[in-house]
Amino acid sequence: MPELPEVETVRRGLQPVFEGSRIVAVEQRRPDLRFPFPPDFVASLTGRSVVSLGRRAKYLTIHLDRDPVLICHLGMSGSFRVLSESTATIPGDFHYERSKNEAHDHVVFHLQDAHGASHRIVFNDPRRFGFMLFSTAAALNEHPSLAGLGVEPTGNALGGALLAELLRGKRAPLKAALLDQRLIAGLGNIYVCEALWRAGLSPRREAGSIVATTGRTSVRCERLAGAIRDVIAEAIAAGGSSLRDHAQVDGSLGYFQHSFSVYDREGHPCPKPGCGGTIARIVQSGRSTFYCPSCQR
DNA sequence: AAGTGAACCTGAAGGC
DNA sequence: TGCCTTCAGGTTCACT
C-alpha cells in the first residue's frame, strides 16, 4: 500500500495520539511479521512514554523517553488505526472499525494520554510484509533498514543538479532507477509513474540518458525533479492514495487516487491536453508501469 | 558491480 | 457456486 505520502499521512494521524502518551500495555499476537519481532518487544515498550513520531522514506520511527526507538514499516498491506475511548458510545467500549479482518490485527498498543484518556492503536497487515524493529536513538541512521537510503523527495533537497548526479551513468530503465531507494527514498510504483508522466519522460528510457553530457544542468532532470517534488507534496496534502484498503488512521480515505493521470488507467485517454494518446501498461522488473507512449519520450 | 527476477503472504477480482 | 489464474502501494536475496 504505502509509499511516502501514505506513511506521512499515517504519521500525522498517529502523532496526536502517540505523542505525550504512555504505553500502558502492548499486545503482540504473533511471533513475526516479515521479520521476527525483537525478543523483548513487549517488555521494552511497556511503561514508556512516547516523545515523538518521525518518518524516513517509508519508515515510521517512534521515539520514546529512552531507548529503544521503534522502527515500523507497513510493507504492502499494513495499516494503523486509532480507537479512542472518548468516541465510544459506552465507556470502556472502544469504537471498532470492523471492515478489516481482525485476524490480521497483529499488534495493539494500549495508551493513556496526558489527560488520562485511553486509546488503542492497532496494527493490521494481511500480507505481513510489514515489520517492527528496534534501534537505539544514537545509531538510528546506521540501522540496517535506514542506512543507505537516498534523498527525501520532500522539501527542496531534490533538485535537477542532484538528480543528474544520481542518475549519471545508470543503464537501468528510468523507472527502475526512481524506484531504487538508495537514490531517492520514498517513491514507489504509483508516484514514479505519475512523476514520469508529469515530466513527459518515458519510463523505458535509460536513466543516464536524461543527464546532460555538457556541464549544464539537464532541463529534463530539472523537470523530473520538480515533478517528483510536486506529486509527493500534492499527495501528502490529499492524505495519500486509498486503493483497495488504505485508509487514514481514523478510517477515512485519502483522495489522491482521484488525481491519478496514468496509474491503473490502462486504455484511458492521456489527460494531457492535445496529446490524444492512450495510457499503456507494460511490465518492468516484474511490476506494472503505466505511461503514455505518445507524450512520454 | 549493476541490473533482473524470484520469494515472502493473503485477498480481491475476473474468467470459465 | 466454485475453482483457477492474475494481480496488488515493498523489500531482500540470489543469480548473471
Side-chain angles (χ1 to χ4, degrees):
Chain A
M1 113 201 181
E3 303 181 30
L4 188 156
E6 290 72 38
V7 177
E8 177 61 20
T9 298
V10 168
R11 191 192 69 80
R12 292 179 184 187
L14 294 180
Q15 185 164 250
V17 184
F18 255 130
E19 281 187 7
S21 290
R22 200 172 75 88
I23 302 173
V24 296
V26 178
E27 294 175 58
Q28 177 200 328
R29 296 181 173 168
R30 53 173 301 127
D32 56 26
L33 296 170
R34 161 123 200 206
F35 305 122
F37 284 92
D40 53 347
F41 182 73
V42 170
S44 296
L45 298 177
T46 304
R48 300 270 59 79
S49 290
V50 180
V51 172
S52 64
L53 263 63
R55 179 194 57 74
R56 175 74 170 104
K58 303 171 191 172
Y59 297 83
L60 194 63
T61 55
I62 300 175
H63 304 257
L64 309 175
D65 51 358
R66 59 169 159 85
D67 280 340
V69 176
L70 176 59
I71 301 173
C72 299
H73 196 287
L74 303 179
M76 289 281 265
S77 59
S79 62
F80 281 98
R81 64 187 189 288
V82 173
L83 317 173
S84 290
E85 193 175 28
S86 55
T87 66
T89 47
I90 304 163
D93 179 32
F94 287 79
H95 172 69
Y96 211 87
E97 178 61 58
R98 296 207 177 260
S99 59
K100 286 199 171 140
N101 188 341
E102 290 172 43
H104 301 305
D105 286 348
H106 304 308
V107 180
V108 183
F109 299 94
H110 296 249
L111 305 180
Q112 187 157 57
D113 70 23
H115 309 292
S118 297
H119 310 271
R120 294 179 190 173
I121 294 179
V122 182
F123 179 71
N124 180 287
D125 186 5
R127 294 179 73 178
R128 304 201 302 276
F129 288 170
F131 53 84
M132 295 191 187
L133 298 173
F134 284 160
S135 173
T136 62
L140 183 59
N141 291 330
E142 285 73 51
H143 187 277
S145 290
L146 304 186
L149 287 173
V151 61
E152 292 275 323
T154 52
N156 295 320
L158 180 64
L162 175 55
L163 186 58
E165 203 175 300
L166 294 172
L167 299 181
R168 179 170 285 119
K170 291 267 183 296
R171 310 290 307 272
L174 187 51
K175 161 84 180 299
L178 296 183
L179 283 175
D180 186 341
Q181 302 296 298
R182 297 168 301 180
L183 304 179
I184 303 171
L187 300 183
N189 209 28
I190 291 176
Y191 298 109
V192 166
C193 291
E194 293 297 316
L196 285 169
W197 177 82
R198 290 179 179 217
L201 293 168
S202 171
R204 315 172 63 162
R205 176 195 263 279
E206 195 172 286
S209 75
I210 71 165
V211 180
T213 47
T214 63
R216 216 157 32 85
T217 302
S218 160
V219 59
R220 292 189 178 90
C221 287
E222 287 290 357
R223 223 165 53 209
L224 181 54
I228 290 169
R229 291 195 311 262
D230 287 352
V231 75
I232 292 296
E234 289 171 32
I236 291 173
S241 302
S242 298
L243 269 48
R244 284 137 210 92
D245 57 354
H246 186 241
Q248 306 190 26
V249 300
D250 63 355
S252 64
L253 303 179
Y255 52 87
F256 192 77
Q257 67 277 12
H258 303 303
S259 300
F260 290 170
S261 297
V262 291
Y263 184 81
D264 204 20
R265 296 188 57 78
E266 181 183 17
H268 287 75
C270 174
K272 180 179 174 158
C275 171
T278 301
I279 304 307
R281 173 185 177 271
I282 61 173
V283 175
Q284 292 179 291
S285 45
R287 315 195 60 193
S288 290
T289 297
F290 299 90
Y291 78 115
C292 174
S294 300
C295 67
Q296 290 182 248
R297 312 305 251 179

